[in-house]
Each structure stands twice: as structure tokens, then as C-alpha cells.
Amino acid sequence: LDPFSDTWDFSSPVISLWINRFYIYLGFAFGISLWICFQIVIRKQGFATSLAEAVTSLDLPVAVINLKEYDPDDQLVEEVTSKNVCAFVVATYTDGQPTESAVWFCKWLEEASSDFRFGKTYLKGMRYAVFGLGNSVYASHFNKVGKNVDKWLWMLGAHRVVARGEGDCDVVKSKHGSIEADFRVWKTKFLARLQALQKGEKKPCDGNCKRGQCESSVVWSFCVRASHESSFLHLGLAEEEPSESTSEEESGTEDHQNLNSVVDVEDLGKIMNCVKKEKREKEEQEEKSSLVRNTVKNEDSERRTMITPALREALTKQGENPQEVLSQYYPLNPGSNPTSGSRCMEPAPPSACSLEFLPLVLRHHTNPVGTEWRWKMDQPEMILKEAIENHQNMIKQFKGVPGVKEERFEEAMMVKHCALSLVGEPIMYPEINRFLKLLHECKISSFLVTNAQFPLEIRNLKPVTQLYVSVDASTKDSLKKIDRPLFKDFWQRFLNSLKALAAKQQRTVYRLTLVKAWNVDELQAYAELVSLGNPDFIEVKGVTYCGESSASSLTMANVPWHEEVIHFVRELVDLIPDYEIACEHEHSNCLLIAHKRFKIGREWWTWIDYNRFQELVQGYEDSGGSATFSAEDYMAKTPHWALFGASERGFDPKDTRYQRKNKSKDISGC
């Protein structure tokens, strides 16, 4: 006999489990993966699924249908005879257009509402509700799709069971502080209405209907169809502009449905009385509105705070300090002295911006947007004080962390640089020049980033150590697609900002963030923009992917490899003869193009002499602005390891570089 067989009993369940452990592990891992995927899919359903779950809790059958899969020719007619209530959750996208999956549905509905062959009773018997998602910073198109869907369904004879809801992404103007809160309030009203219908109750008359009473059908069972656009629910933004009407105002328009139809002469008196009454009420309302406007102008009304409770919560979740100022690490460009990066704080005097979409920034976008300053304003002294405190508190969190050098830790506690700022538009801050002066008095250098929408403010800006302009695209159409600017004259503002940059005497930089499939073409157009602003430096960086966000549709596929960035830079330099590639920062996926005036002899002088800058800016202030100076007055020699083509590729040899152990997975392009 085999002694091994005598020793072990392979029929034992424990032994069998051990022998088949690989299959057990595989099955367990597969199950976990399925569960994770399921959770992701469930979360991505967004508002429509949230509504469906709430309706299910009322013991009502419900189905969630994407409008792309909804055939209005067949399915809308079925809703007329069914006992369903259709809830449409729709979003407004660029220029007031519907999202891609809702285009056909909206087109069909619009054409049907104006086609005499359908008539005004085509959808009579259908009951519906609409919740629109939008952003009120786009004045003339705010929730346009939701309003249109609501109007077109009503024009076809459908019955609105609850007033239209409007979600607002702008946390400043949102009625309830956030789009989620707007949805929750509307959902509560909708569910209450469903419960009333389920019990067979009639909706109380609000006094706006023609005969003083409102009609409602007695219903015993329901199927709520929530049609949604899932891509909007995750990307979160829609380019739109507000409309004047509200759901409450439109609810009264049902009285006029028959005004254009044939009426008896006897009824003309009633109709004219109704029209006169409405005209009188409208005039009274306009007088009240005028009085309110005059009161607001005459009184010093209190401005709203920029950091709303909803925004404060969002910033906290992102690891931000929810103050009017934010202090964070921000690496300087490869042409500056990178060893001082740990001593650089990044406060944001305004966290607001004139661009709706910021796909190229280093964090998810939750900040308010606007074209002018309309919030409470903190004083520069308080901002600087809290910015330094926030920076130091953040650095203190690294005390005792393995790998943190004691001398670097102590050095980082002393703020030497200030980056203003990738989160918002610091040049909007009314006291920005005073804030810069305070920085320089504290011997803190200033790096200011602007989105090139405020040319006058750029001209009036006092000297900064380095002034950046974000050049996210090279043409009007691509800039509109990428940044979604709020100004209608955004392109002219952009060009004027570049011209204003050319008049600045201190260091100026174009920031080009490359996004594959978005802005890597049209090199000739980029070259023309360079000749317009004549910057000292052009910083070209591959976009950094920070994970999935409702603010951006970026994926890893949009992140260029470092070699692709180099290829782009080489082609761009060929079109701008006054510039050459000067520096490289491989681990930041970044290159620096410098004007040839910073190449003295055969040596590059792209670095900054910070002490010299502080002397020059102090002389400027003491002379009342007459002692001007230029970028060449405080330049410093670039070390060899920072130059383009060096073996170090921008990594300081004094520092220790830790290579990834698993080299089989190369992510160097990130």
C-alpha cells in the first residue's frame, strides 16, 4: 500500500476544501467583483433611481427608463389609457440643448405640440411630472429643456400632477443650497401628491384655475416611469442660462388653453374680464417688483456668503479646509525653483470663477461661478493670516510620518511662496492688489493664475512674481467646449487678456494643459496666440486624472504620455522662432518653453532670484510705482539637471527618488 494514502483521508471535507481552495478563492473574488459592479451601476442611476426607490416604498410598481430607449410614437399614447404617472427627470446641456439621449424625444415632442394633426387632446388622460436639472449662472437657458418638456406635454393635453421642479447646480443661487436639496424638496411634494391620488383624493384648488376648482382623477394603482439621462446625472454640469418663468407661474397657464379656440359670443365678456384682471394683476406685480428693486438699490443689503453649507460639506469631503481661503500644496512650473514647493501655499481669496467647467484643474469642481463679485468679502489681512495658519496645520499632519525629513518639515512651516489659485479666479477679488502687497511685505513671493476673462483687472494688477494665464484651447469653438465660459463675449475677453499680458513687465506664463482628443490640435492657432501675448514662458503639461467626478468627463484615455507632450512641444516650438525648449519635469509630465531673451550666451536663466524680486518690489512700492522693473532683473541661472535633455529629466539629484517596485505596470505617462 501507498503509505501516503494510509496517512491521509482524501474523502475528508477539510482536505477537499484545501485541495479546491483555488476555485473557492476564485469564486469568492468573482462574487465580490459582481457585487462591486452592481453597487457602481446602482449609484450611477442618480436622481431617477432615487425617485424610483422612494415610489417603491409606497408599494407602487415603478420602472426607470432611459429616454434613449423610450419611443414616444408608441409609448406616450399608451400612457393615455394607463394608470401610470410619468416622471421626467431631464437635463439641459450646451446652449439650452437636451442631452444626447434625450434629443430625439424632445424633437418629437416639440414637433407634435405644434402639429395640427395631433391636436390639443392627443395626450389627454396622461399624467406627468417634470424635474429639470440645470445651472442658473447661464441666464437665458436655465432649465430650458425641463420647461419645454413640461410645456409641450401640457400643449398636447397631458395633465400635470405636480408643479415642475427645477434643480440648480449653482450652490449660490439654489433655493435650497444644492441641486440635491432642490430634488429632495420636489420629491417630497411629488410623493405626497402620489399618496393623495392613491387614496382617491382630489388636489386642493389653488385659486388659479378657471372655475375655482381643480380636476384630479381617482386612481387605485400606479406605475411611475422615471425617464432620465444617466450621463448628466454623473457629469453634473449643463451649459445653460436662466429663464424668467417658474413652474408656479406656468401652472396658471392652463386657464388659457381654450382662448384660441372657437367660443360663443356670450362668453366673450367673461374672457375679456379675465384678460383685464390678469393685466391689472400684472401691473400691480410690476409695481411691487420695481419697489423692491429700488429698495435694494437704496439699502446696503447684506451679501451672501460664498461658502454655502452645501459647498462647505462638499469641500470637507474632498479634504479641503472649508474656509473662504484654502491652503494647499501647489508645484511651481519647471522653470521656477521647485525645491521650494513645500513652502508654497495656495489660498483662494475667491473660490468663484467665470468659467462653468474647469476640467483642467487638479481637483473636483464644486466652487460657485459668476461674472462679477457678489459675495461677502473677507479682508486681505484675515485671508493672509488664515492662509498661513491653514498651510501650517496641513504641514503639521505630516509630522512623524515615515520618510519625512526633519529639516524639510521645519522648512515647510515657513511660508515663502503663494500660488493664487487653481480653484477660482483670484483676480476677481476686489482687494487683490492689497493682498499682493501684504504678501510681499511678508517676503512671500506671488504666483497668480487667471483664466483670461478679465482684461481690465490684468492691466490694473500690481507686480507679481509670476503671472499665469490659462490657455486651455486655441480657437473660439474649442474654448467654449472646454471651459464653458459665462461671458457671451468670452473670446474677445480672452484675446484682450492676452494683449494685456503682453504689457506686463514681470514674468508672464502661458499655461497649456494638454487633453488628448480635446485640445492637442490646431498648433498654428496656438502659435498665433503666443505672438499676441508674447509671454516669457509657456508651460505645457499633460492633464492629471483625479478619478471620476460629476464635474468632468475626463478619463485616463485623455491623459497624454510624456513623450506625446514632448512631441507636441517640439512641433509648437517650430512655429514660434523666438522660443526654445528650456526645461523638463518628467515626473510632472511637464515641459517649459522659454523666450530666447532668457538664454544668455549658451546658458538658460529661467529660475527666479526671490531675494532680488523682494528688493525690486519694495523699491516699486516705496517710489509709488515709478521704480519699475522687468523679468530679466530677477532671473537666476537654471541648474543643469533641470534643463531639457539632461539625464535627470528635472529630478533634483539632491533628493532621493523612490522607484515603483512593480515595473511591469508602467504609468509614467501620468
Side-chain angles (χ1 to χ4, degrees), residues 361-417:
V361 301
L362 300 180
R363 60 187 57 84
H364 294 173
H365 168 65
T366 52
N367 50 292
V369 291
T371 57
E372 60 183 7
W373 187 271
R374 60 177 186 272
W375 300 276
K376 290 181 179 178
M377 185 184 73
D378 292 331
Q379 294 303 309
E381 293 81 3
M382 189 273 284
I383 293 178
L384 179 59
K385 178 177 177 292
E386 290 197 7
I388 294 175
E389 290 176 354
N390 290 340
H391 173 84
Q392 292 175 340
N393 290 335
M394 182 190 68
I395 296 298
K396 288 177 182 178
Q397 298 176 22
F398 290 91
K399 188 171 185 178
V401 175
V404 176
K405 297 180 180 180
E406 183 64 27
E407 62 273 15
R408 284 292 182 89
F409 178 84
E410 295 298 332
E411 180 187 73
M413 292 294 291
M414 301 299 295
V415 177
K416 188 177 180 181
H417 312 291

Side-chain angles (χ1 to χ4, degrees), residues 47 50-51 131 167 176-191 310 313:
F47 293 107
S50 173
L51 182 61
F131 184 80
H176 306 96
S178 69
I179 192 171
E180 291 80 8
D182 294 337
F183 177 73
R184 285 194 296 268
V185 172
W186 178 84
K187 182 174 68 173
T188 301
K189 296 179 181 178
F190 178 72
L191 295 177
E313 180 181 359

Side-chain angles (χ1 to χ4, degrees), residues 290-446:
S290 177
L291 179 62
V292 171
R293 284 194 297 268
N294 292 335
T295 303
V296 171
K297 288 181 180 179
N298 294 332
E299 296 180 1
D300 186 15
S301 58
E302 185 177 4
R303 292 175 179 262
R304 298 180 66 177
T305 180
M306 181 180 292
I307 305 298
T308 63
L311 180 55
R312 182 180 299 274
E313 180 181 359
L315 290 173
T316 302
K317 287 182 179 179
Q318 294 180 15
E320 307 270 15
N321 190 323
Q323 303 291 335
E324 295 290 354
V325 295
L326 308 176
S327 178
Q328 292 213 356
Y329 167 78
Y330 170 65
L332 309 181
N333 75 32
S336 301
N337 312 28
T339 55
S340 55
S342 61
R343 303 177 69 178
C344 177
M345 65 179 182
E346 186 205 339
S351 60
C353 184
S354 60
L355 305 179
E356 168 59 30
F357 193 36
L358 296 174
L360 312 183
V361 301
L362 300 180
R363 60 187 57 84
H364 294 173
H365 168 65
T366 52
N367 50 292
V369 291
T371 57
E372 60 183 7
W373 187 271
R374 60 177 186 272
W375 300 276
K376 290 181 179 178
M377 185 184 73
D378 292 331
Q379 294 303 309
E381 293 81 3
M382 189 273 284
I383 293 178
L384 179 59
K385 178 177 177 292
E386 290 197 7
I388 294 175
E389 290 176 354
N390 290 340
H391 173 84
Q392 292 175 340
N393 290 335
M394 182 190 68
I395 296 298
K396 288 177 182 178
Q397 298 176 22
F398 290 91
K399 188 171 185 178
V401 175
V404 176
K405 297 180 180 180
E406 183 64 27
E407 62 273 15
R408 284 292 182 89
F409 178 84
E410 295 298 332
E411 180 187 73
M413 292 294 291
M414 301 299 295
V415 177
K416 188 177 180 181
H417 312 291
C418 180
L420 304 161
S421 126
L422 291 181
V423 173
E425 180 58 86
I427 209 166
M428 287 177 65
Y429 178 51
E431 296 291 342
I432 185 62
N433 280 326
R434 189 167 144 215
F435 182 74
L436 291 171
K437 182 178 180 181
L438 290 174
L439 287 176
H440 299 153
E441 288 176 354
C442 295
K443 305 303 179 184
I444 298 175
S445 60
S446 52

Side-chain angles (χ1 to χ4, degrees), residues 607-626:
W607 277 38
I608 299 172
D609 185 339
Y610 293 107
N611 293 329
R612 179 58 179 158
F613 171 79
Q614 296 297 344
E615 294 174 0
L616 292 169
V617 77
Q618 184 62 49
Y620 173 87
E621 294 292 346
D622 294 342
S623 66
S626 60

